[in-house]
Amino acid sequence: MMAGNDGPKIDPAEVARASLAGIEAGAIEVLVDDPARFVKAALGGDPAQLYG
């Protein structure tokens, strides 16, 4: 999904670590980075926040 994006990307190993930690903790959802947390928080709000 991000192949055409030149911006910074999270280390795949960190995604794996956070995902496994979430599974071990019984989490139903794991948000690994700040952009994911921002989008999740914005979903219930004004959709204009998601567009530049």
Side-chain angles (χ1 to χ4, degrees), residues 9-51:
K9 297 178 181 89
I10 191 166
D11 181 2
E14 178 57 28
V15 174
R17 278 192 289 277
S19 299
L20 291 173
I23 291 168
E24 289 175 352
I28 59 170
E29 181 174 61
V30 178
L31 303 173
V32 177
D33 60 2
D34 288 337
R37 287 186 277 279
F38 171 79
V39 171
K40 173 68 176 180
L43 287 175
D46 181 4
Q49 290 179 325
L50 300 175
Y51 299 95

